[in-house]
Amino acid sequence: MQSKGNISSLLIRLKFSAMMALDGISSNLLRTFLTVLGISIGVAAVVSLMGIGEGARKSIVSQFESLGENVIVIKSNAENITFDAKEAEEIPSRVTGIQYTTPVVYTQDTPIRWRRDESKMNIVGVNEQYPQIKDHKVLSGNFFTSLHVKQRSPVAVLGYNVANNLLNGRSPVGQTLKIDGINYRIVGVLAEKGKDKGDGIDDKIVIPYTSALKIANTKDILEIWAKSNSSEDAELAMIQLGRIYQRKVGIGSNIRPGNGQEEGETASASNMPIEEPIAEPSPEVPGGKENVFEKGEEPLTITSLNNLVKEADQANRIMTVLLGGIAAVSLLVGGIGIMNIMLVAVTERTGEIGVRRALGAKKEDLLIQFLLEAVYVSIIGCVVGIILGAWAVTIVSRYGLSAIVSFDSIRIAVFVALTSGLLFGVYPAINASNLPPVEALKRQ
């Protein structure tokens, strides 16, 4: 029975302290408003800045992911290093985990004629495995076949925006358009990737690479795309491809022609036999995760898009944390404001403290009362700050920037605000609880 009485007494004291705390913050609304404003600005800054950072991170990662999952890009950066179609076809049988490959040919500002309209457009030449490599679905019609590629057929698959502009949204499959003066039959339309995604494929035309070589008036292929079954296979394939091309083109930017070539001749990678790769990591491939050809100064680069996604994600996470840290400084300032206001409140309310102590209030009661005042102010500031921050993120999004309301930003802002409110409220609360009753009554 005594235990129940103690619990009941404790609850009554807590209730009374909470009521006194509410009365304390409502007795001077202007002072409370200014304190809440400081916390609100800090919370809004954290929510909005971290929201902008998180939105930018997701946007950049989404752009990289739109290029394809588990895709490896083999690209020549030197004029005397080229590939051919046969080499691209041999890669799946020579490299573990590679499932699809395609040579890639780009043509810039190619003349296009649609009925009476003329323009210039970028063309991408690939083989029939492009949809599987880039995880890109065909929205209407079909993608061209291997037979189209072998016969250099004048067929084209349009990017989403290109197709949408031709017939105002109607499918142009079966129609013809002129590319570089030759009639090409439209056999398909690619699904929409989105703005700034998929390397701008929505605004391009895809044709067989054999036809693209004819338009570009060249026999040289400078880029190959390969796709692995999984991220683990992609890492292993990076090691094997690194070993293959190290033996072919050498390490460093100075390329030595092989197989009896004269100085100045084109060193085609396909002119040399492909040696069977070794799966173990080499000194040139630290840990098997990155090979020497990924350095910008090398004549040939082998890049895993998975690694690009990870690096972009990590870099933008760091930026988001830095933005949050900068914004959190304003929360610290808000916490100092709480301490200043509470110290003033203790000084002004010494008479109240003395009367409560004289009537039997314990130190713990006063401590809880003033701590609750600091917590109330922090909670109100958090709620207002979250609303302001979400509103700011919405405004930023309307003007084209990628910004989202991040749950992590809200959680961090609330934690810092409540923690700072408690920490900076402790000192004034201790001062109030330690004030002797007689001294407090004298100051009244």
Side-chain angles (χ1 to χ4, degrees), residues 5 20 41 45 64 70 72 97 99 117 123-124 150 152 182 206 225 244 269 283 292 301 309 320 342 346 378 396 443:
M20 292 294 294
I41 292 174
F64 278 110
N70 304 323
I72 297 172
Q99 189 174 9
D117 298 328
I123 307 293
V124 180
K150 291 178 181 177
R152 296 185 180 181
I182 299 175
V206 182
W225 293 341
I244 290 172
V292 296
T301 57
V309 172
T320 302
M342 294 300 297
V346 169
S378 298
V396 169
R443 294 182 189 180

Side-chain angles (χ1 to χ4, degrees), residues 235-236 238-240 242-243 246-247 277-291:
E235 291 185 7
L236 179 60
M238 287 282 290
I239 300 171
Q240 296 176 345
R243 286 179 172 273
Q246 285 171 22
R247 292 174 181 136
I278 303 173
E280 297 89 327
S282 68
E284 295 86 0
V285 189
K289 293 183 179 179
E290 179 181 302
N291 65 59

Side-chain angles (χ1 to χ4, degrees), residues 27-104:
S27 61
N28 195 325
L29 292 178
L30 179 60
R31 187 169 61 196
T32 302
F33 170 76
L34 294 175
T35 309
V36 168
L37 184 63
I39 295 294
S40 300
I41 292 174
V43 172
V46 172
V47 172
S48 58
L49 288 180
M50 289 192 69
I52 293 171
E54 183 68 12
R57 182 189 72 82
K58 288 191 174 182
S59 177
I60 293 173
V61 170
S62 176
Q63 289 180 26
F64 278 110
E65 288 178 342
S66 69
L67 298 174
E69 190 177 3
N70 304 323
V71 175
I72 297 172
V73 178
I74 307 167
K75 184 177 180 180
S76 169
N77 299 315
E79 295 181 356
N80 61 336
I81 301 176
T82 61
F83 315 107
D84 64 19
K86 182 180 179 182
E87 177 179 359
E89 294 171 358
E90 289 177 346
I91 288 178
S93 62
R94 297 288 187 176
V95 178
T96 304
I98 296 293
Q99 189 174 9
Y100 304 105
T101 56
T102 179
V104 184

Side-chain angles (χ1 to χ4, degrees), residues 337-351:
I338 289 177
M339 182 173 67
N340 290 334
I341 294 299
M342 294 300 297
L343 285 172
V344 171
V346 169
T347 303
E348 290 181 349
R349 294 158 65 186
T350 52

Side-chain angles (χ1 to χ4, degrees), residues 283-361:
E284 295 86 0
V285 189
K289 293 183 179 179
E290 179 181 302
N291 65 59
V292 296
F293 293 113
E294 286 189 314
K295 299 176 183 177
E297 69 273 10
E298 294 296 337
L300 185 145
T301 57
I302 305 174
T303 307
S304 170
L305 298 187
N306 288 353
N307 291 342
L308 292 181
V309 172
K310 292 177 183 177
E311 290 171 4
D313 182 55
Q314 183 178 4
N316 280 274
R317 282 187 185 277
I318 293 173
M319 181 190 73
T320 302
V321 171
L322 289 176
L323 287 174
I326 294 170
V329 173
S330 58
L331 275 177
L332 180 64
V333 174
I336 295 174
I338 289 177
M339 182 173 67
N340 290 334
I341 294 299
M342 294 300 297
L343 285 172
V344 171
V346 169
T347 303
E348 290 181 349
R349 294 158 65 186
T350 52
E352 173 192 332
I353 295 169
V355 170
R356 289 199 63 194
R357 290 298 305 276
L359 293 175

